[in-house]
């Protein structure tokens, strides 16, 4: 009986590895171009909706605008959109990977990292200011309010980027465990001593912590979260913000050191963060002053 899992550990020539690298780079480009395409669609729909609605009264919200779970801030619609985006990225990772296990492993990591700039561009940079809903770059570009975008920022990190990066790490660990090494027994015992894998483990730890400490707003906090997040609302916001940003920085530094192919996305993410910060500062200083 054949296994439903089609992927295998295959040996590739240098030419085949170069071809795989070209496909991986192309896949990352497609993942980022699809972001621009999606933004254009959203902008078009937003403009058309505004033009056609005119002075018509607002329609009552549908069941899709209700929370997925009672007490959560994110709606069913927001989960659906992020789930569809994750499905697209998974399909893009599988595309043209053949039976090459490492091709799939590298693909989910590259596609996941390619989404970091978008995640930053819709983040509420003024979260700890007196006006936490100040527009991000993506809010300005799409015309969607920051209060609408912020739940997508939370969900995007939790159910799009995190699963892809966790899948990348898990697939690599399984490969290391199942591969033998003449001196260390398993490849895992050898590779955990190498800097690139150590940086990958640090990045994985940062992803897990970001996932654990970015629970749905309004959900009951765990004992650890309740212990860490005490005091007035503004103080808790400040603690969360600096802790969150510190973990993102740790993830970026670890990923940058982990593998050369990640560096372009980390540099793009840094540029997106600077751009988003400048945008928020200008709006706070000159628009909403």
């Amino acid at each position: 009986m054949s296994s439903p899992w089609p992927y295998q550990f295959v040996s590739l020539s240098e030419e085949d590895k170069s071809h795989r690298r070209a496909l991986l780079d192309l896949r990352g480009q497609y993942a980022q171009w699809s972001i621009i395409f999606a933004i254009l669609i959203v902008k078009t729909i937003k403009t058309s909706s505004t033009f056609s609605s005119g002075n018509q009264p607002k329609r009552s919200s549908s069941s899709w605008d209700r929370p997925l779970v009672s007490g959560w801030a994110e709606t069913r619609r927001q989960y659906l959109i992020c789930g569809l985006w994750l499905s697209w990225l998974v399909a893009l990772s599988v595309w043209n990977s053949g039976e090459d296990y490492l091709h799939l492993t590298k693909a989910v990591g590259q596609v996941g990292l390619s989404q970091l700039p978008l995640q930053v561009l819709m983040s509420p940079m003024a979260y700890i200011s007196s006006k936490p809903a100040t527009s991000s770059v993506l809010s300005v570009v799409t015309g969607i309010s920051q209060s609408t975008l912020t739940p997508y920022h939370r969900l995007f990190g939790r159910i799009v980027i995190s699963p892809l990066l966790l899948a990348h790490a898990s697939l690599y660990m399984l490969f290391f465990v199942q591969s033998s090494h003449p001196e260390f027994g398993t490849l895992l015992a050898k590779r955990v001593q190498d800097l690139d894998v150590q940086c990958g483990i640090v990045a994985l730890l940062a992803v897990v912590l970001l996932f654990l400490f970015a629970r749905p707003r309004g959900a009951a906090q765990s004992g650890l979260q309740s212990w860490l997040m005490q005091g007035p609302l503004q103080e808790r916001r400040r603690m969360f913000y600096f802790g969150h940003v510190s973990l993102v920085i740790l993830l970026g530094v670890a990923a940058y050191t982990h593998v050369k192919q990640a560096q372009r996305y980390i540099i793009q993410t840094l540029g997106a963060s600077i751009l988003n910060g400048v945008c928020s500062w200008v709006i706070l200083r000159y628009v909403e002053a």
Side-chain angles (χ1 to χ4, degrees), residues 156-206:
F156 200 77
R158 196 162 66 238
I159 68 173
V160 177
I161 294 178
S162 291
L164 290 171
L165 297 183
L166 290 172
H168 169 75
S170 299
L171 289 170
Y172 249 123
M173 285 297 180
L174 287 173
F175 169 70
F176 290 153
V177 168
Q178 297 180 64
S179 301
S180 59
H181 191 279
E183 297 180 19
F184 295 87
T186 65
L187 187 58
L188 177 62
K190 162 64 173 65
R191 294 291 278 124
V192 292
Q193 302 182 41
D194 298 332
L195 178 62
D196 62 326
V197 172
Q198 292 170 353
C199 288
I201 293 173
V202 171
L204 174 63
L205 177 62

Side-chain angles (χ1 to χ4, degrees), residues 209 212-213 215 221-230:
L209 290 175
L212 292 176
F213 289 96
R215 297 186 63 190
Q221 292 182 330
S222 65
L224 178 59
Q225 286 175 309
S226 299
W227 178 72
L228 290 174
M229 299 294 180
Q230 296 181 356

Side-chain angles (χ1 to χ4, degrees), residues 34-74:
S34 62
I35 294 172
I36 298 175
F37 184 66
I39 290 174
L40 291 174
I41 291 178
V42 169
K43 183 65 176 177
T44 301
I45 293 174
K46 176 78 173 173
T47 303
S48 300
S49 176
T50 302
F51 179 77
S52 61
S53 61
N55 295 323
Q56 295 180 7
K58 287 186 176 180
R59 299 177 182 178
S60 59
S61 59
S62 67
S63 61
W64 288 107
D65 296 314
R66 298 173 186 171
L68 182 66
V69 175
S70 178
W72 289 13
E74 296 88 356

Side-chain angles (χ1 to χ4, degrees), residues 114-136:
S114 73
Q115 304 300 290
L116 287 178
L118 172 63
Q119 174 72 343
V120 168
L121 288 175
M122 61 178 164
S123 63
M125 292 293 288
Y127 183 73
I128 58 174
S129 73
S130 59
K131 298 179 179 179
T134 299
S135 298
S136 62

Side-chain angles (χ1 to χ4, degrees), residues 96-141:
N96 218 5
S97 60
E99 298 179 349
D100 187 350
Y101 179 94
L102 285 181
H103 191 154
L104 175 67
T105 302
K106 294 173 184 289
V108 292
Q110 182 141 352
V111 167
L113 286 175
S114 73
Q115 304 300 290
L116 287 178
L118 172 63
Q119 174 72 343
V120 168
L121 288 175
M122 61 178 164
S123 63
M125 292 293 288
Y127 183 73
I128 58 174
S129 73
S130 59
K131 298 179 179 179
T134 299
S135 298
S136 62
V137 169
L138 198 64
S139 175
V140 173
V141 170

